[in-house]
Amino acid sequence: MPNTLDRNDLRASVEAATGGKVTVLYTEKGQASYMYKVPRFNRQDIDSGLGNGTHPMFIMDGVEKNHRYIGVFPGTVRDGELLSLPGVDPEASRNFDSFLSVARANGPGWGLATNVDYTGLSHWCWANGFLPRGNTDYGRSHAQKFETATRQDGQSPGLSSGSARTLTGSGPAGWRHDNTPWGIADLCGNVWEWSPGMRLVDSEFQVIADNDAALSGIDLSAASTLWRAIDGETGDLVAPGSANSVKLAHSGTADYTLVASSGSEFEGIANPGTNPVSAAAIEVLKLYGLYPVGAGIGGDGIWSTLTDERVPVRGGHWSYGSRAGVFALNLISTRAYSSTSFGARPAFAV
């Protein structure tokens, strides 16, 4: 375990090198984790269609926070804790609850980057005119094939076989959220990332309010009483199963139901109901990353299974091509599922 002087020296050197964008936080076991300090921003600064006030990424338990700390890299497990470290194989093959457990094992304030975190970051990228690329073609970018990273299986970028995860942060600046060497890496492609705080239950969208899912002691279980549906007329958060709650379908014109075939573009989500989802409810859906914030968000995809509980993963993985990206939303998997292409990212709440 590093002593206090070593910790302070490392933190100071990282902050100096990155202009304060990145810092080093330490877990209960004294392990270092490289974290991006995201400053608070407002909804109206992203788009007028989001309303006014602080973006929900920075609201926890009704309190507005000045910053949110997000892992610079997809997480890797060391000594039972989930860390954000450069140049390592991202952890995979764990289910949702296992990833949540090792993230919370870091200590008070720690957890997984949430659905609202990914939404806030994707909104920020879109508003700033840059959507990051990433490992979307077996170790390289499908869009810029000369952009490559180091594959953990030792194979050449572009060879379409194997588990083509790439070592965290080993890609170019264009694979960072702000197109600089110090931005958040690998939000597009590489591995899908579990993102708590939202789910699909028998086609009904359900969320946990604001970014309360970031709180390290909050109940994120399937049976939690904190889950809320979204009223399709008022946009209010209401009890699951309430009349007029917003649902998702693959076709049709049911009331208060969005339509997107599985594997289609997220930007193409339709609102064709005889009684469509209202503008007030669309604003809420946008804030939870469940409806396009605007045009020009790329070909990122949406996938869904409309039965039982489905827990989101975001971003795509190494073979998803143009359907991967910061807006990509996969609602196919149960919380018990695991895969070599599923990971997660640590985050910290002040």
Side-chain angles (χ1 to χ4, degrees):
M1 180 184 299
N3 61 37
T4 302
L5 180 60
D6 293 333
R7 292 185 182 187
N8 291 339
D9 286 348
L10 177 58
R11 180 182 291 119
S13 65
V14 168
E15 291 179 355
T18 64
K21 293 181 178 180
V22 177
T23 190
V24 179
L25 301 182
Y26 288 89
T27 67
E28 283 201 330
K29 293 181 179 178
Q31 299 192 94
S33 192
Y34 291 75
M35 309 296 291
Y36 192 94
K37 188 177 182 181
V38 184
R40 184 172 71 187
F41 53 82
N42 295 318
R43 294 153 61 167
Q44 64 269 26
D45 297 335
I46 301 299
D47 186 76
S48 59
L50 295 179
N52 296 313
T54 299
H55 195 283
M57 179 179 180
F58 305 96
I59 304 175
M60 303 168 204
D61 198 23
V63 178
E64 296 184 5
K65 306 291 186 176
N66 288 328
H67 298 90
R68 175 77 167 129
Y69 291 91
I70 302 293
V72 176
F73 311 104
T76 189
V77 175
R78 297 285 188 274
D79 196 16
E81 297 177 332
L82 187 68
L83 310 176
S84 166
L85 298 173
V88 298
D89 184 15
E91 188 79 13
S93 300
R94 289 176 179 262
N95 64 31
F96 171 82
D97 291 316
S98 177
F99 267 115
L100 182 63
S101 177
V102 291
R104 288 180 168 179
N106 290 6
W110 288 92
L112 295 178
T114 68
N115 174 69
V116 170
D117 289 328
Y118 288 98
T119 301
L121 292 172
S122 65
H123 286 173
W124 188 95
C125 291
W126 176 79
N128 282 275
F130 178 74
L131 299 179
R133 298 176 293 277
N135 174 15
T136 53
D137 183 23
Y138 291 87
R140 64 185 182 180
S141 165
H142 75 279
Q144 303 286 351
K145 295 185 184 299
F146 55 84
E147 292 186 348
T148 65
T150 304
R151 284 177 51 158
Q152 57 83 29
D153 61 6
Q155 300 297 322
S156 299
L159 181 67
S160 57
S161 63
S163 295
R165 297 187 301 271
T166 50
L167 302 187
T168 56
S170 61
W175 294 16
R176 307 276 181 142
H177 86 291
D178 60 359
N179 200 23
T180 77
W182 316 121
I184 301 170
D186 304 330
L187 289 171
C188 170
N190 206 12
V191 291
W192 286 107
E193 298 183 16
W194 292 109
S195 49
M198 177 264 159
R199 64 181 185 172
L200 194 67
V201 179
D202 293 327
S203 81
E204 181 182 70
F205 288 117
Q206 296 179 10
V207 299
I208 289 178
D210 296 323
N211 205 4
D212 286 0
L215 299 171
S216 57
I218 202 163
D219 184 3
L220 296 173
S221 70
S224 174
T225 60
L226 299 175
W227 292 109
R228 291 291 179 267
I230 300 168
D231 188 284
E233 181 59 38
T234 66
D236 294 338
L237 299 188
V238 295
S242 294
N244 303 333
S245 63
V246 179
K247 296 180 175 63
L248 180 67
H250 294 159
S251 62
T253 58
D255 290 350
Y256 306 114
T257 299
L258 302 179
V259 173
S261 60
S262 189
S264 63
E265 289 189 14
F266 183 79
E267 190 171 341
I269 294 175
N271 184 18
T274 304
N275 286 306
V277 178
S278 71
I282 289 293
E283 179 180 300
V284 174
L285 289 162
K286 288 179 178 181
L287 289 171
Y288 288 95
L290 303 176
Y291 196 84
V293 65
I297 65 173
D300 302 7
I302 179 171
W303 297 259
S304 60
T305 297
L306 303 178
T307 56
D308 304 318
E309 183 198 44
R310 306 293 164 168
V311 181
V313 287
R314 286 197 171 266
H317 77 64
W318 64 79
S319 72
Y320 268 67
S322 63
R323 286 293 187 263
V326 292
F327 289 96
L329 174 60
N330 186 328
L331 290 164
I332 287 179
S333 301
T334 67
R335 67 176 58 226
Y337 182 74
S338 64
S339 168
T340 59
S341 62
F342 276 37
R345 187 179 299 257
F348 183 78
V350 178

